[in-house]
Amino acid sequence: MAYIREKAIAIEAVIKAAAFCLDVQTEMVAEDRAEKGDKSPVTIADLGAQAIICQHLRTIFPNEVIVGEESSETLKQPQNQGMLNKITTYLQRFSEEATTDTTCEWLDMGTGTVNHERYWTVDPVDGTKGFLRRQQYAIALALVEDGIPRVGVLACPSLPTSLSSPRGDIGTLFIAVQGEGTMMASLSSHRLNFRPLHVNTATSFSQLRCIESIEQGNREVQQKIIQELGLNPEPLKMDSQAKYGVVARGEAALYLRLPTPSNSNYREFIWDHAAGTLVVEEAGGKVSDMYGQPLDFRNNKRMLKNQGIVVSTRELHPKVIDTLRYHIS
Ligand code: AMP
Ligand code: MG
């Protein structure tokens, strides 16, 4: 077995961050969010969860490079002093050492760059819009070595362990280690009880469903692909990398994320895909860009060589790429 310590520490870190997010979500008020430079929302959960994960990783692995979505930049603006104080108060429930200075220091442990043989990448609240709507979000953490995700963890605090029991057991943890498969456990039980996952093996395409973002994506082309392949015509819609988990456990067979003409220059961030990619591939699926090329986790925090994302079973993947060729330039 490989990456035993990394896997254990990654699980501990995301579980702690998930507990933090649940705490914050129950008590959140309008002032607990701000707008980042790119106009996207950031909440005290995103920032606090990154601080927790970085601090936890660095306690065990003091020299690790961490590439995170967040930094203390927003919090250092005078108008966000109240947010900084509040995050610190929440963090004190998790660590006696938390002060406003350590909050910024822990957050900024996650401002590393990808040009290293080994780095961790973290999206502390992937799907912030879903988190704000009290729908799906994920705490995503991956270890990347030589440009390849080796350990991937997704904690999805609002995701039922089965979509067929939406009010059943809520909160799912996905963990994948390269070469060792993908496992899932309920986040709600005291002892993690893992079971192995496999992507959908149904041979009739009409039984297979697609899953897509709530916020964005080229619905027109996505719908054409679904139709031409004869998949179930009603795609599931969900925020965050929880979509990768849903494909890994067979509830969807295809996750399509295609650029619209108005955002054709958009390049995806590594932290939005590294953990999810391993979770699906180790469950027997395949992940690529819309041209069938592997995702580039080696060169930049944005995947400059890739456009669009196709996540599916191995059987479906070449058919999706072939079909897509006629719809993208
Ligand atoms: P998700 O949680 O998967 O919907 O993705 C998070 C964010 O990524 C969304 O809020 C969008 O801003 C962005 N996004 C999703 N899909 C696309 C896409 N096809 N092209 C560009 N941005 C996207
Ligand atoms: Mg994010």
Side-chain angles (χ1 to χ4, degrees):
M1 292 221 297
Y3 300 105
I4 295 172
R5 277 185 85 209
E6 288 87 347
K7 174 182 163 183
I9 302 312
I11 291 174
E12 282 171 17
V14 298
I15 287 182
K16 236 167 137 180
F20 179 87
C21 291
L22 287 170
D23 252 22
V24 169
Q25 198 176 38
T26 12
E27 299 161 24
M28 216 161 89
V29 293
E31 296 74 55
D32 294 339
R33 56 185 283 189
E35 230 175 45
K36 289 194 279 190
D38 63 0
K39 302 274 180 218
S40 63
V42 63
T43 71
I44 58 175
D46 300 61
L47 299 164
Q50 176 162 319
I52 284 181
I53 291 171
C54 291
Q55 193 251 1
H56 194 78
L57 285 179
R58 280 280 177 86
T59 307
I60 316 293
F61 300 113
N63 302 315
E64 297 281 62
V65 176
I66 309 172
V67 186
E69 175 165 13
E70 311 300 343
S71 76
S72 67
E73 197 187 321
T74 314
L75 285 183
K76 285 183 175 152
Q77 291 164 2
Q79 73 270 25
N80 293 326
Q81 179 69 40
M83 245 177 113
L84 174 58
N85 294 340
K86 195 150 181 190
I87 294 171
T88 307
T89 308
Y90 275 111
L91 286 174
Q92 283 162 350
R93 296 182 188 175
F94 291 78
S95 167
E96 287 172 1
E97 294 163 36
T99 63
T100 50
D101 284 344
T102 61
T103 297
C104 294
E105 201 183 296
W106 294 339
L107 250 171
D108 289 337
M109 287 174 178
T111 55
T113 54
V114 307
N115 55 335
H116 294 88
E117 257 173 48
R118 169 175 161 124
Y119 68 84
W120 293 84
T121 184
V122 56
D123 192 342
V125 176
D126 176 36
T128 304
K129 290 176 186 164
F131 175 78
L132 288 167
R133 280 193 246 101
R134 296 180 178 270
Q135 294 176 344
Q136 294 309 321
Y137 64 102
I139 293 121
L141 178 62
L143 173 68
V144 178
E145 271 183 5
D146 299 321
I148 296 167
R150 310 287 175 161
V151 178
V153 193
L154 295 175
C156 306
S158 302
L159 186 70
T161 52
S162 165
L163 292 186
S164 55
S165 307
R167 271 184 262 279
D169 192 2
I170 307 294
T172 310
L173 180 70
F174 299 93
I175 163 86
V177 176
Q178 192 195 29
E180 295 181 11
T182 299
M183 312 276 266
M184 179 182 106
S186 163
L187 270 177
S188 63
S189 57
H190 288 296
R191 216 176 153 274
L192 293 174
N193 197 359
F194 285 104
R195 68 173 176 86
L197 295 184
H198 203 278
V199 295
N200 199 310
T201 51
T203 45
S204 155
F205 278 17
S206 63
Q207 289 177 17
L208 302 178
R209 281 188 100 174
C210 184
I211 189 162
E212 54 189 33
S213 284
I214 293 178
E215 289 295 327
Q216 278 200 46
N218 192 330
R219 304 235 185 270
E220 201 184 316
V221 175
Q222 288 167 194
Q223 200 54 44
K224 279 188 184 147
I225 305 300
I226 290 170
Q227 262 170 22
E228 287 177 28
L229 290 170
L231 306 182
N232 179 320
E234 293 288 329
L236 295 167
K237 293 192 190 303
M238 194 176 278
D239 297 291
S240 85
Q241 276 173 83
K243 292 189 276 297
Y244 280 95
V246 167
V247 174
R249 66 187 190 193
E251 291 168 328
L254 172 64
Y255 163 22
L256 275 180
R257 186 178 173 99
L258 303 176
T260 53
S262 65
N263 70 6
S264 61
N265 289 328
Y266 184 78
R267 294 295 182 276
E268 301 279 351
F269 288 104
I270 52 168
W271 49 73
D272 284 330
H273 300 284
T277 295
L278 194 63
V279 162
V280 164
E281 295 209 323
E282 285 297 323
K286 187 161 169 65
V287 179
S288 75
D289 68 10
M290 65 184 181
Y291 301 104
Q293 295 303 310
L295 302 186
D296 174 21
F297 297 111
R298 199 185 290 270
N299 289 304
N300 196 285
K301 66 180 185 179
R302 278 191 190 268
M303 300 191 286
L304 301 175
K305 296 180 182 168
N306 301 120
Q307 256 196 299
I309 307 280
V310 176
V311 178
S312 72
T313 65
R314 283 195 199 282
E315 292 72 44
L316 207 48
H317 197 272
K319 298 184 173 68
V320 177
I321 299 296
D322 274 355
T323 314
L324 262 170
R325 251 192 268 280
Y326 297 98
H327 297 288
I328 53 180
S329 47

